[in-house]
Amino acid sequence: MNQRYEPERRYEPSEPPRRPSHAVRVGDVQVGGGAPVSVQSMTTTVTADVDATLQQIAALTAAGCQIVRVAVPSGDDARALPAIAAKSRIPVIADIHFQPRYVFAAIDAGCAAVRVNPGNIRRFDDQVADIARAADAAGIPIRIGVNAGSLDRRLLAKHGRATPEALVESALWECSLFEEHGFTDLKISVKHHDPRTMAAAYRLLARRCDHPLHLGVTEAGPLLQGSVKSAVAFTQLLSEGIGDTIRVSLSAPPVEEVKAGLSILESLGLRERGLEIVSCPSCGRAQVDVYRLTEQVQAAFEGFPHPLRVAVMGCVVNGPGEAREADIGVSSGNGKGQIFVRGEVVATVPESRIVETLLDEALRLTDSGAGGEDGAGA
């Protein structure tokens, strides 16, 4: 029987419905309430060293960080907060453990929010009313930050270990203490080093409250491992609409956390793409040093101000096709590179001129008013 051919509909990815949550404001950044997912990091400097801390915050800001957290383990750190909060270009959150008095110091210092860890802050519960009044008067939110590694001993005894249920119980208990005093400007995180346990905890929490959620895999590890674990967990949750702000926790410079976080959001379509380099993994067919060429292209396009997809390919099998699909691209071989712009070959240049030609064509393309994705290209 003859059947009429019907072409398949083209798949168009779309952003998943967001979990409903009420909004809080961290400085000028809205978290929750349908606002775009924001990217955070944390300084690694001694907070009391104001100049060093502000320099690191400036580097994070330049990398795209929207909210920054600083540790406040000592009185000297607390006394440094007014200068840091006043001079930072992005909202500053004070990270408080063990000493409730630093919560009041952070609020008085003009910090945009305070994070407290219910598992290890001493003499906290009996001061919730005062903290709630102070935060409400200052108009700042509080993050209830639960970590598997510092879970309350009572909950460890009850659950046996840091289970998703234990993490969520800790968070919601502390939230209830604030809510009893009419304070609801709360964010919550329930972090665990295992991405499966972490994802299960956030799913459970998402069903139990409407507070905005800060996603994080705690103690995720070094750059590669930590980025992969965070991407695994975040992709699951964000694809289900769960999560309002993220931090990729890495044993690496904090700027790398921001880069990883932005890359995750861009890959999920939750952030407009910036520069995207599509490059082949290389193989025995390659007639160019793909690794070196890709590094050179990446360095040349560092800080490029427009969204753009650049393909760097090393052989004739997939090279022309991938280069044709990108905004600009190169298919390399025999000491030369075919340069593609929007699917058309515009030049064939010696290998030594590939990088400069790609950059010239990118500038010409964006200067003409056409750029990359989301209204700017392929």
Side-chain angles (χ1 to χ4, degrees):
M1 182 176 65
N2 293 330
Q3 291 183 333
R4 182 180 178 183
Y5 171 72
E6 294 287 346
E8 292 185 4
R9 292 181 179 179
R10 183 177 179 181
Y11 170 70
E12 294 291 345
S14 60
E15 184 175 333
R18 295 284 295 281
R19 161 188 169 267
S21 64
H22 71 258
V24 301
R25 295 205 68 84
V26 181
D28 59 358
V29 179
Q30 179 176 317
V31 178
V37 179
S38 53
V39 176
Q40 305 193 21
S41 186
M42 186 172 182
T43 57
T44 58
T45 56
V46 175
T47 304
D49 187 338
V50 174
D51 289 341
T53 301
L54 286 171
Q55 286 176 12
Q56 193 167 80
I57 291 174
L60 288 167
T61 304
C65 185
Q66 294 165 278
I67 300 171
V68 66
R69 186 156 42 109
V70 299
V72 189
S74 74
D76 287 341
D77 299 314
R79 285 185 284 275
L81 290 176
I84 293 169
K87 295 179 181 179
S88 173
R89 289 172 51 204
I90 57 176
V92 174
I93 297 177
D95 191 72
I96 312 295
H97 298 262
F98 302 114
Q99 298 297 344
R101 69 179 183 273
Y102 297 153
V103 176
F104 298 102
I107 293 172
D108 291 341
C111 289
V114 175
R115 179 270 175 117
V116 296
N117 184 335
N120 63 13
I121 192 159
R122 299 172 186 160
R123 301 180 303 280
F124 176 74
D125 291 354
D126 62 348
Q127 297 189 48
V128 167
D130 292 336
I131 292 173
R133 276 194 295 270
D136 185 60
I140 69 169
I142 292 174
R143 173 158 73 94
I144 306 298
V146 179
N147 271 17
S150 54
L151 194 64
D152 189 291
R153 292 180 182 178
R154 295 167 295 181
L155 292 173
L156 284 175
K158 175 181 177 180
H159 293 273
R161 58 189 176 86
T163 63
E165 293 78 11
L167 296 170
V168 171
E169 183 176 341
S170 175
L172 292 181
W173 168 253
E174 291 298 339
C175 285
S176 72
L177 298 179
F178 282 96
E179 289 165 344
E180 286 177 1
H181 299 285
F183 187 84
T184 58
D185 279 351
L186 301 167
K187 297 185 294 152
I188 309 178
S189 62
V190 282
K191 297 186 180 182
H192 196 284
H193 67 271
D194 176 63
R196 296 165 300 178
T197 303
M198 172 270 200
Y202 277 98
R203 288 191 183 103
L204 177 59
L205 183 60
R207 295 195 298 268
R208 299 277 302 275
C209 73
D210 71 345
H211 295 297
L213 303 182
H214 168 120
L215 302 187
V217 178
T218 191
E219 287 91 40
L223 180 59
L224 177 59
Q225 175 181 296
S227 297
V228 170
K229 288 171 69 173
S230 296
V232 166
F234 293 177
T235 297
Q236 294 179 61
L237 294 168
L238 292 170
S239 295
E240 298 168 19
I242 297 172
D244 301 288
T245 184
I246 64 172
R247 180 197 174 190
V248 179
S249 299
L250 301 174
S251 300
V255 164
E256 299 300 330
E257 297 185 348
V258 175
K259 292 179 180 178
L262 290 171
S263 182
I264 291 169
L265 295 182
E266 289 173 4
S267 297
L268 291 171
L270 296 175
R271 180 67 64 94
E272 179 181 329
R273 289 184 183 272
L275 176 69
E276 179 187 8
I277 296 179
V278 178
S279 59
C280 68
S282 193
C283 68
R285 296 189 301 266
Q287 296 179 326
V288 67
D289 186 340
V290 176
Y291 304 149
R292 181 169 174 270
L293 180 59
T294 301
E295 289 176 353
Q296 290 174 335
V297 171
Q298 188 171 26
F301 280 83
E302 183 74 26
F304 195 77
H306 304 284
L308 205 68
R309 178 180 289 150
V310 182
V312 182
M313 307 301 294
C315 82
V316 297
V317 176
N318 296 319
E322 290 288 357
R324 190 173 289 114
E325 288 295 316
D327 294 304
I328 62 171
V330 60
S331 179
S332 308
N334 296 321
K336 296 178 290 185
Q338 273 192 322
I339 306 298
F340 289 76
V341 176
R342 292 288 171 78
E344 302 293 333
V345 177
V346 298
T348 299
V349 299
E351 187 176 320
S352 61
R353 291 189 53 220
I354 287 175
V355 177
E356 65 176 277
T357 305
L358 287 173
L359 187 58
D360 286 344
E361 293 297 337
L363 292 170
R364 186 176 294 113
L365 184 66
T366 53
D367 285 346
S368 70
E373 293 191 38
D374 297 322

